[in-house]
Amino acid sequence: SNADGKLFLLSDQNLDVFQYHVDDESVTWEKSTMRSWLNGYGAEENTGGDSGYDYTNDNFIDTAFSDKEQGVIADTAVVNNDNPDFGTEGGENTTDKIFLLSIDEAWNSSYFADDNSRKGTNTAYVADGGKIAGDTYGVGAADYWWLRSPGYNANIAAYVLTYGGMDLDGGRKVDNNMNAVRPAFNLNLNSVLFTSAAVR
């Protein structure tokens, strides 16, 4: 979408493999290790391990974007609604640069016309298991990808199926290593954008 000077973008392929949360425990998007890893947050922002995991020096945003590119990624008010079918609590809303889509966003017909358009295919890096050497399908194959919404209980997170539909059983364990990551963010159109020299 393009509104209020911001362009809402989702990666066109599965870009990495990471657990929604590193431990099999009740967690919301706010306290997940996925959120911390995507944005480079410190241990105080998540509940992974005994005292949280520090992702300030090992994270997605610093690997994927230069400092200048990060400067044009807007801080987004991320709404974390409860699961619409099971009522599982979505937790507190957050403010993040990088985030995953929610169930509501994944169902939005303005973003995806049908199941086929929702399919996420693997890059070579994801096919090789990504950051956590996860169990994924081959290059160019459609694969499962995480959403930020909870599933049928608090240690389950929602995800999109290989054919682009939604998991009708309510999600997967948060520490599952088989789901890919399709990050989303809002680009600030009022900032200087990425440019390249014209080639003739």
Side-chain angles (χ1 to χ4, degrees):
S1 66
N2 187 347
D4 302 321
K6 295 177 182 177
L7 191 64
F8 182 27
L9 301 173
L10 172 71
S11 65
D12 64 345
Q13 287 186 281
N14 300 325
L15 297 187
D16 212 327
V17 186
F18 203 72
Q19 297 114 318
Y20 186 92
H21 194 64
V22 294
D23 296 320
D24 180 8
E25 63 183 3
S26 297
V27 69
T28 62
W29 169 254
E30 179 195 13
K31 292 298 182 180
S32 69
T33 51
M34 174 72 78
R35 174 178 175 246
S36 290
W37 170 72
L38 285 173
N39 290 279
Y41 297 149
E44 70 280 358
E45 292 294 326
N46 65 80
T47 59
D50 295 330
S51 57
Y53 286 100
D54 183 359
Y55 293 103
T56 54
N57 295 312
D58 180 18
N59 56 70
F60 175 82
I61 193 169
D62 288 337
T63 301
F65 302 102
S66 69
D67 289 343
K68 287 185 178 180
E69 288 168 343
Q70 290 181 41
V72 300
I73 298 174
D75 289 329
T76 296
V78 177
V79 177
N80 296 304
N81 291 329
D82 296 348
N83 183 290
D85 294 327
F86 302 98
T88 313
E89 290 188 11
E92 297 296 321
N93 294 337
T94 59
T95 300
D96 304 306
K97 286 187 177 292
I98 310 293
F99 51 94
L100 304 182
L101 296 189
S102 67
I103 290 174
D104 291 340
E105 289 162 345
W107 276 126
N108 189 330
S109 60
S110 296
Y111 302 154
F112 303 102
D114 52 27
D115 285 351
N116 190 60
S117 66
R118 200 181 294 111
K119 286 195 302 189
T121 56
N122 290 340
T123 61
Y125 180 64
V126 170
D128 197 39
K131 178 166 179 61
I132 62 169
D135 186 9
T136 51
Y137 295 130
V139 180
D143 217 330
Y144 308 102
W145 53 280
W146 289 114
L147 299 173
R148 72 174 184 270
S149 301
Y152 67 84
N153 65 32
N155 69 333
I156 300 287
Y159 69 102
V160 173
L161 294 160
T162 53
Y163 67 88
M166 305 286 284
D167 175 25
L168 299 179
D169 293 328
R172 260 190 179 154
K173 287 282 190 77
V174 293
D175 63 339
N176 188 286
N177 73 343
M178 297 172 62
N179 282 14
V181 181
R182 288 183 74 180
F185 64 89
N186 277 287
L187 189 66
N188 186 351
L189 297 178
N190 297 317
S191 299
V192 177
L193 299 183
F194 308 21
T195 60
S196 60
V199 177
R200 295 182 181 271

